[in-house]
PDB file of all heavy atoms in Angstrom:
ATOM      1  N   ASN A   1      89.618 117.212  89.978  1.00 95.00           N
ATOM      2  CA  ASN A   1      88.575 116.336  90.506  1.00 95.00           C
ATOM      3  C   ASN A   1      89.194 115.263  91.402  1.00 95.00           C
ATOM      4  O   ASN A   1      90.402 115.208  91.589  1.00 95.00           O
ATOM      5  CB  ASN A   1      87.721 115.746  89.382  1.00 95.00           C
ATOM      6  CG  ASN A   1      88.538 115.267  88.193  1.00 95.00           C
ATOM      7  OD1 ASN A   1      89.762 115.234  88.232  1.00 95.00           O
ATOM      8  ND2 ASN A   1      87.869 114.897  87.132  1.00 95.00           N
ATOM      9  N   ARG A   2      88.356 114.392  91.973  1.00 97.00           N
ATOM     10  CA  ARG A   2      88.808 113.526  93.058  1.00 97.00           C
ATOM     11  C   ARG A   2      89.457 112.226  92.581  1.00 97.00           C
ATOM     12  O   ARG A   2      89.055 111.642  91.567  1.00 97.00           O
ATOM     13  CB  ARG A   2      87.629 113.184  93.976  1.00 97.00           C
ATOM     14  CG  ARG A   2      86.986 114.388  94.657  1.00 97.00           C
ATOM     15  CD  ARG A   2      87.981 115.167  95.507  1.00 97.00           C
ATOM     16  NE  ARG A   2      87.366 116.296  96.183  1.00 97.00           N
ATOM     17  CZ  ARG A   2      87.213 116.392  97.504  1.00 97.00           C
ATOM     18  NH1 ARG A   2      87.611 115.438  98.296  1.00 97.00           N
ATOM     19  NH2 ARG A   2      86.658 117.472  98.020  1.00 97.00           N
ATOM     20  N   SER A   3      90.434 111.785  93.362  1.00 97.00           N
ATOM     21  CA  SER A   3      91.009 110.451  93.178  1.00 97.00           C
ATOM     22  C   SER A   3      91.459 109.946  94.547  1.00 97.00           C
ATOM     23  O   SER A   3      91.406 110.673  95.547  1.00 97.00           O
ATOM     24  CB  SER A   3      92.167 110.464  92.175  1.00 97.00           C
ATOM     25  OG  SER A   3      93.255 111.253  92.627  1.00 97.00           O
ATOM     26  N   LEU A   4      91.903 108.696  94.605  1.00 98.00           N
ATOM     27  CA  LEU A   4      92.299 108.085  95.873  1.00 98.00           C
ATOM     28  C   LEU A   4      93.783 108.334  96.152  1.00 98.00           C
ATOM     29  O   LEU A   4      94.625 108.200  95.267  1.00 98.00           O
ATOM     30  CB  LEU A   4      92.023 106.577  95.842  1.00 98.00           C
ATOM     31  CG  LEU A   4      90.568 106.166  95.606  1.00 98.00           C
ATOM     32  CD1 LEU A   4      90.442 104.644  95.667  1.00 98.00           C
ATOM     33  CD2 LEU A   4      89.636 106.820  96.613  1.00 98.00           C
ATOM     34  N   HIS A   5      94.085 108.705  97.402  1.00 98.00           N
ATOM     35  CA  HIS A   5      95.458 109.006  97.801  1.00 98.00           C
ATOM     36  C   HIS A   5      95.788 108.324  99.128  1.00 98.00           C
ATOM     37  O   HIS A   5      94.922 108.172  99.998  1.00 98.00           O
ATOM     38  CB  HIS A   5      95.643 110.520  97.953  1.00 98.00           C
ATOM     39  CG  HIS A   5      95.626 111.258  96.656  1.00 98.00           C
ATOM     40  ND1 HIS A   5      96.765 111.678  96.026  1.00 98.00           N
ATOM     41  CD2 HIS A   5      94.597 111.618  95.850  1.00 98.00           C
ATOM     42  CE1 HIS A   5      96.447 112.285  94.895  1.00 98.00           C
ATOM     43  NE2 HIS A   5      95.132 112.265  94.766  1.00 98.00           N
ATOM     44  N   PHE A   6      97.041 107.936  99.264  1.00 98.00           N
ATOM     45  CA  PHE A   6      97.521 107.416 100.545  1.00 98.00           C
ATOM     46  C   PHE A   6      97.716 108.593 101.508  1.00 98.00           C
ATOM     47  O   PHE A   6      98.383 109.565 101.177  1.00 98.00           O
ATOM     48  CB  PHE A   6      98.843 106.667 100.360  1.00 98.00           C
ATOM     49  CG  PHE A   6      98.715 105.394  99.580  1.00 98.00           C
ATOM     50  CD1 PHE A   6      99.174 105.315  98.271  1.00 98.00           C
ATOM     51  CD2 PHE A   6      98.132 104.277 100.151  1.00 98.00           C
ATOM     52  CE1 PHE A   6      99.065 104.153  97.544  1.00 98.00           C
ATOM     53  CE2 PHE A   6      98.003 103.094  99.428  1.00 98.00           C
ATOM     54  CZ  PHE A   6      98.467 103.031  98.120  1.00 98.00           C
ATOM     55  N   MET A   7      97.130 108.503 102.684  1.00 97.00           N
ATOM     56  CA  MET A   7      97.186 109.603 103.643  1.00 97.00           C
ATOM     57  C   MET A   7      98.536 109.682 104.358  1.00 97.00           C
ATOM     58  O   MET A   7      98.911 110.733 104.863  1.00 97.00           O
ATOM     59  CB  MET A   7      96.060 109.480 104.666  1.00 97.00           C
ATOM     60  CG  MET A   7      94.663 109.630 104.041  1.00 97.00           C
ATOM     61  SD  MET A   7      94.493 111.162 103.087  1.00 97.00           S
ATOM     62  CE  MET A   7      94.707 112.401 104.350  1.00 97.00           C
ATOM     63  N   HIS A   8      99.273 108.555 104.407  1.00 96.00           N
ATOM     64  CA  HIS A   8     100.584 108.550 105.046  1.00 96.00           C
ATOM     65  C   HIS A   8     101.442 107.478 104.385  1.00 96.00           C
ATOM     66  O   HIS A   8     100.936 106.627 103.638  1.00 96.00           O
ATOM     67  CB  HIS A   8     100.454 108.294 106.554  1.00 96.00           C
ATOM     68  CG  HIS A   8      99.495 107.193 106.884  1.00 96.00           C
ATOM     69  ND1 HIS A   8      98.210 107.421 107.304  1.00 96.00           N
ATOM     70  CD2 HIS A   8      99.626 105.850 106.839  1.00 96.00           C
ATOM     71  CE1 HIS A   8      97.581 106.277 107.503  1.00 96.00           C
ATOM     72  NE2 HIS A   8      98.406 105.305 107.224  1.00 96.00           N
ATOM     73  N   SER A   9     102.724 107.521 104.634  1.00 97.00           N
ATOM     74  CA  SER A   9     103.639 106.531 104.058  1.00 97.00           C
ATOM     75  C   SER A   9     103.364 105.155 104.673  1.00 97.00           C
ATOM     76  O   SER A   9     103.071 105.045 105.870  1.00 97.00           O
ATOM     77  CB  SER A   9     105.091 106.939 104.308  1.00 97.00           C
ATOM     78  OG  SER A   9     105.382 108.160 103.651  1.00 97.00           O
ATOM     79  N   MET A  10     103.476 104.124 103.844  1.00 97.00           N
ATOM     80  CA  MET A  10     103.226 102.758 104.291  1.00 97.00           C
ATOM     81  C   MET A  10     104.262 101.821 103.666  1.00 97.00           C
ATOM     82  O   MET A  10     104.909 102.165 102.666  1.00 97.00           O
ATOM     83  CB  MET A  10     101.803 102.315 103.904  1.00 97.00           C
ATOM     84  CG  MET A  10     100.708 103.173 104.521  1.00 97.00           C
ATOM     85  SD  MET A  10      99.038 102.710 103.966  1.00 97.00           S
ATOM     86  CE  MET A  10      98.856 101.113 104.751  1.00 97.00           C
ATOM     87  N   LYS A  11     104.410 100.637 104.238  1.00 97.00           N
ATOM     88  CA  LYS A  11     105.417  99.678 103.797  1.00 97.00           C
ATOM     89  C   LYS A  11     104.798  98.520 103.011  1.00 97.00           C
ATOM     90  O   LYS A  11     103.627  98.179 103.196  1.00 97.00           O
ATOM     91  CB  LYS A  11     106.167  99.106 105.014  1.00 97.00           C
ATOM     92  CG  LYS A  11     106.979 100.137 105.799  1.00 97.00           C
ATOM     93  CD  LYS A  11     108.151 100.638 104.978  1.00 97.00           C
ATOM     94  CE  LYS A  11     109.046 101.554 105.796  1.00 97.00           C
ATOM     95  NZ  LYS A  11     110.184 102.071 104.986  1.00 97.00           N
ATOM     96  N   LYS A  12     105.612  97.935 102.143  1.00 96.00           N
ATOM     97  CA  LYS A  12     105.209  96.733 101.419  1.00 96.00           C
ATOM     98  C   LYS A  12     104.722  95.678 102.404  1.00 96.00           C
ATOM     99  O   LYS A  12     105.348  95.441 103.441  1.00 96.00           O
ATOM    100  CB  LYS A  12     106.405  96.202 100.629  1.00 96.00           C
ATOM    101  CG  LYS A  12     106.118  94.911  99.858  1.00 96.00           C
ATOM    102  CD  LYS A  12     107.356  94.446  99.094  1.00 96.00           C
ATOM    103  CE  LYS A  12     107.093  93.128  98.384  1.00 96.00           C
ATOM    104  NZ  LYS A  12     108.289  92.675  97.616  1.00 96.00           N
ATOM    105  N   GLY A  13     103.570  95.081 102.106  1.00 95.00           N
ATOM    106  CA  GLY A  13     102.999  94.058 102.979  1.00 95.00           C
ATOM    107  C   GLY A  13     101.962  94.593 103.951  1.00 95.00           C
ATOM    108  O   GLY A  13     101.204  93.806 104.546  1.00 95.00           O
ATOM    109  N   ASP A  14     101.897  95.927 104.134  1.00 96.00           N
ATOM    110  CA  ASP A  14     100.873  96.507 105.007  1.00 96.00           C
ATOM    111  C   ASP A  14      99.488  96.299 104.405  1.00 96.00           C
ATOM    112  O   ASP A  14      99.306  96.329 103.179  1.00 96.00           O
ATOM    113  CB  ASP A  14     101.106  98.009 105.191  1.00 96.00           C
ATOM    114  CG  ASP A  14     102.284  98.326 106.099  1.00 96.00           C
ATOM    115  OD1 ASP A  14     102.801  97.392 106.736  1.00 96.00           O
ATOM    116  OD2 ASP A  14     102.686  99.507 106.158  1.00 96.00           O
ATOM    117  N   VAL A  15      98.505  96.093 105.292  1.00 96.00           N
ATOM    118  CA  VAL A  15      97.111  95.969 104.859  1.00 96.00           C
ATOM    119  C   VAL A  15      96.467  97.354 104.893  1.00 96.00           C
ATOM    120  O   VAL A  15      96.597  98.087 105.887  1.00 96.00           O
ATOM    121  CB  VAL A  15      96.337  94.995 105.769  1.00 96.00           C
ATOM    122  CG1 VAL A  15      94.867  94.904 105.325  1.00 96.00           C
ATOM    123  CG2 VAL A  15      96.976  93.608 105.723  1.00 96.00           C
ATOM    124  N   ILE A  16      95.787  97.703 103.830  1.00 97.00           N
ATOM    125  CA  ILE A  16      95.204  99.041 103.697  1.00 97.00           C
ATOM    126  C   ILE A  16      93.847  99.087 104.398  1.00 97.00           C
ATOM    127  O   ILE A  16      92.957  98.275 104.119  1.00 97.00           O
ATOM    128  CB  ILE A  16      95.023  99.412 102.216  1.00 97.00           C
ATOM    129  CG1 ILE A  16      96.384  99.400 101.506  1.00 97.00           C
ATOM    130  CG2 ILE A  16      94.362 100.780 102.070  1.00 97.00           C
ATOM    131  CD1 ILE A  16      96.274  99.512  99.995  1.00 97.00           C
ATOM    132  N   SER A  17      93.679 100.039 105.306  1.00 96.00           N
ATOM    133  CA  SER A  17      92.381 100.264 105.941  1.00 96.00           C
ATOM    134  C   SER A  17      91.730 101.495 105.330  1.00 96.00           C
ATOM    135  O   SER A  17      92.367 102.259 104.587  1.00 96.00           O
ATOM    136  CB  SER A  17      92.544 100.463 107.452  1.00 96.00           C
ATOM    137  OG  SER A  17      93.130 101.730 107.723  1.00 96.00           O
ATOM    138  N   ARG A  18      90.460 101.709 105.643  1.00 95.00           N
ATOM    139  CA  ARG A  18      89.748 102.880 105.118  1.00 95.00           C
ATOM    140  C   ARG A  18      90.426 104.173 105.555  1.00 95.00           C
ATOM    141  O   ARG A  18      90.491 105.143 104.779  1.00 95.00           O
ATOM    142  CB  ARG A  18      88.281 102.855 105.591  1.00 95.00           C
ATOM    143  CG  ARG A  18      87.476 104.106 105.234  1.00 95.00           C
ATOM    144  CD  ARG A  18      87.347 104.280 103.724  1.00 95.00           C
ATOM    145  NE  ARG A  18      86.656 105.518 103.370  1.00 95.00           N
ATOM    146  CZ  ARG A  18      87.267 106.700 103.200  1.00 95.00           C
ATOM    147  NH1 ARG A  18      88.582 106.802 103.366  1.00 95.00           N
ATOM    148  NH2 ARG A  18      86.570 107.765 102.857  1.00 95.00           N
ATOM    149  N   ASP A  19      90.964 104.204 106.769  1.00 96.00           N
ATOM    150  CA  ASP A  19      91.595 105.420 107.279  1.00 96.00           C
ATOM    151  C   ASP A  19      92.911 105.742 106.577  1.00 96.00           C
ATOM    152  O   ASP A  19      93.425 106.852 106.705  1.00 96.00           O
ATOM    153  CB  ASP A  19      91.841 105.295 108.784  1.00 96.00           C
ATOM    154  CG  ASP A  19      90.549 105.291 109.581  1.00 96.00           C
ATOM    155  OD1 ASP A  19      89.528 105.774 109.057  1.00 96.00           O
ATOM    156  OD2 ASP A  19      90.567 104.804 110.729  1.00 96.00           O
ATOM    157  N   ASP A  20      93.454 104.781 105.849  1.00 97.00           N
ATOM    158  CA  ASP A  20      94.713 105.000 105.129  1.00 97.00           C
ATOM    159  C   ASP A  20      94.502 105.733 103.813  1.00 97.00           C
ATOM    160  O   ASP A  20      95.472 106.198 103.205  1.00 97.00           O
ATOM    161  CB  ASP A  20      95.409 103.667 104.830  1.00 97.00           C
ATOM    162  CG  ASP A  20      95.817 102.928 106.087  1.00 97.00           C
ATOM    163  OD1 ASP A  20      96.220 103.592 107.065  1.00 97.00           O
ATOM    164  OD2 ASP A  20      95.736 101.682 106.092  1.00 97.00           O
ATOM    165  N   ILE A  21      93.243 105.835 103.369  1.00 98.00           N
ATOM    166  CA  ILE A  21      92.939 106.354 102.032  1.00 98.00           C
ATOM    167  C   ILE A  21      92.108 107.627 102.124  1.00 98.00           C
ATOM    168  O   ILE A  21      91.142 107.710 102.881  1.00 98.00           O
ATOM    169  CB  ILE A  21      92.166 105.306 101.193  1.00 98.00           C
ATOM    170  CG1 ILE A  21      92.948 103.998 101.124  1.00 98.00           C
ATOM    171  CG2 ILE A  21      91.892 105.847  99.782  1.00 98.00           C
ATOM    172  CD1 ILE A  21      94.303 104.116 100.436  1.00 98.00           C
ATOM    173  N   GLY A  22      92.479 108.633 101.350  1.00 97.00           N
ATOM    174  CA  GLY A  22      91.710 109.859 101.248  1.00 97.00           C
ATOM    175  C   GLY A  22      91.123 110.009  99.854  1.00 97.00           C
ATOM    176  O   GLY A  22      91.742 109.613  98.857  1.00 97.00           O
ATOM    177  N   VAL A  23      89.894 110.569  99.786  1.00 98.00           N
ATOM    178  CA  VAL A  23      89.255 110.894  98.501  1.00 98.00           C
ATOM    179  C   VAL A  23      89.509 112.378  98.276  1.00 98.00           C
ATOM    180  O   VAL A  23      88.772 113.237  98.761  1.00 98.00           O
ATOM    181  CB  VAL A  23      87.750 110.581  98.544  1.00 98.00           C
ATOM    182  CG1 VAL A  23      87.104 110.866  97.186  1.00 98.00           C
ATOM    183  CG2 VAL A  23      87.515 109.127  98.949  1.00 98.00           C
ATOM    184  N   LEU A  24      90.577 112.700  97.558  1.00 98.00           N
ATOM    185  CA  LEU A  24      91.110 114.054  97.546  1.00 98.00           C
ATOM    186  C   LEU A  24      91.308 114.610  96.135  1.00 98.00           C
ATOM    187  O   LEU A  24      91.351 113.857  95.161  1.00 98.00           O
ATOM    188  CB  LEU A  24      92.468 114.079  98.268  1.00 98.00           C
ATOM    189  CG  LEU A  24      92.500 113.563  99.708  1.00 98.00           C
ATOM    190  CD1 LEU A  24      93.938 113.508 100.202  1.00 98.00           C
ATOM    191  CD2 LEU A  24      91.648 114.430 100.620  1.00 98.00           C
ATOM    192  N   ARG A  25      91.432 115.931  96.067  1.00 97.00           N
ATOM    193  CA  ARG A  25      91.923 116.568  94.855  1.00 97.00           C
ATOM    194  C   ARG A  25      93.441 116.406  94.837  1.00 97.00           C
ATOM    195  O   ARG A  25      94.098 116.576  95.861  1.00 97.00           O
ATOM    196  CB  ARG A  25      91.569 118.054  94.842  1.00 97.00           C
ATOM    197  CG  ARG A  25      90.086 118.352  94.942  1.00 97.00           C
ATOM    198  CD  ARG A  25      89.868 119.859  94.905  1.00 97.00           C
ATOM    199  NE  ARG A  25      88.486 120.224  95.182  1.00 97.00           N
ATOM    200  CZ  ARG A  25      88.029 121.474  95.235  1.00 97.00           C
ATOM    201  NH1 ARG A  25      88.882 122.478  95.049  1.00 97.00           N
ATOM    202  NH2 ARG A  25      86.755 121.727  95.474  1.00 97.00           N
ATOM    203  N   THR A  26      94.001 116.128  93.682  1.00 95.00           N
ATOM    204  CA  THR A  26      95.456 115.979  93.565  1.00 95.00           C
ATOM    205  C   THR A  26      96.132 117.340  93.565  1.00 95.00           C
ATOM    206  O   THR A  26      97.136 117.566  94.239  1.00 95.00           O
ATOM    207  CB  THR A  26      95.814 115.217  92.287  1.00 95.00           C
ATOM    208  OG1 THR A  26      95.171 113.941  92.317  1.00 95.00           O
ATOM    209  CG2 THR A  26      97.315 115.017  92.173  1.00 95.00           C
ATOM    210  N   GLU A  27      95.594 118.275  92.747  1.00 91.00           N
ATOM    211  CA  GLU A  27      96.076 119.648  92.639  1.00 91.00           C
ATOM    212  C   GLU A  27      97.533 119.758  92.186  1.00 91.00           C
ATOM    213  O   GLU A  27      97.858 119.285  91.125  1.00 91.00           O
ATOM    214  CB  GLU A  27      95.834 120.407  93.950  1.00 91.00           C
ATOM    215  CG  GLU A  27      94.355 120.687  94.218  1.00 91.00           C
ATOM    216  CD  GLU A  27      93.724 121.726  93.303  1.00 91.00           C
ATOM    217  OE1 GLU A  27      94.434 122.342  92.492  1.00 91.00           O
ATOM    218  OE2 GLU A  27      92.491 121.915  93.402  1.00 91.00           O
ATOM    219  N   LYS A  28      98.429 120.291  93.005  1.00 89.00           N
ATOM    220  CA  LYS A  28      99.674 120.872  92.510  1.00 89.00           C
ATOM    221  C   LYS A  28     100.756 119.874  92.103  1.00 89.00           C
ATOM    222  O   LYS A  28     101.100 119.755  90.934  1.00 89.00           O
ATOM    223  CB  LYS A  28     100.231 121.857  93.545  1.00 89.00           C
ATOM    224  CG  LYS A  28      99.262 122.986  93.904  1.00 89.00           C
ATOM    225  CD  LYS A  28      98.915 123.846  92.717  1.00 89.00           C
ATOM    226  CE  LYS A  28      97.976 124.981  93.103  1.00 89.00           C
ATOM    227  NZ  LYS A  28      97.587 125.806  91.961  1.00 89.00           N
ATOM    228  N   ILE A  29     101.338 119.147  93.057  1.00 91.00           N
ATOM    229  CA  ILE A  29     102.564 118.398  92.752  1.00 91.00           C
ATOM    230  C   ILE A  29     102.438 116.891  92.958  1.00 91.00           C
ATOM    231  O   ILE A  29     103.348 116.148  92.582  1.00 91.00           O
ATOM    232  CB  ILE A  29     103.744 118.919  93.603  1.00 91.00           C
ATOM    233  CG1 ILE A  29     103.465 118.734  95.099  1.00 91.00           C
ATOM    234  CG2 ILE A  29     104.043 120.373  93.267  1.00 91.00           C
ATOM    235  CD1 ILE A  29     104.658 119.064  95.989  1.00 91.00           C
ATOM    236  N   LEU A  30     101.350 116.415  93.534  1.00 94.00           N
ATOM    237  CA  LEU A  30     101.208 114.982  93.783  1.00 94.00           C
ATOM    238  C   LEU A  30     100.765 114.250  92.517  1.00 94.00           C
ATOM    239  O   LEU A  30     100.360 114.860  91.530  1.00 94.00           O
ATOM    240  CB  LEU A  30     100.200 114.751  94.916  1.00 94.00           C
ATOM    241  CG  LEU A  30     100.576 115.369  96.266  1.00 94.00           C
ATOM    242  CD1 LEU A  30      99.465 115.149  97.278  1.00 94.00           C
ATOM    243  CD2 LEU A  30     101.895 114.783  96.779  1.00 94.00           C
TER     244      LEU A  30
END
């Protein structure tokens, strides 16, 4: 089922935008 995931690598101090987050299935190794 769905959970929130970071779509790309980000650095400490970065501000999270909506485009940075995916509503995804985790599935195999994440």
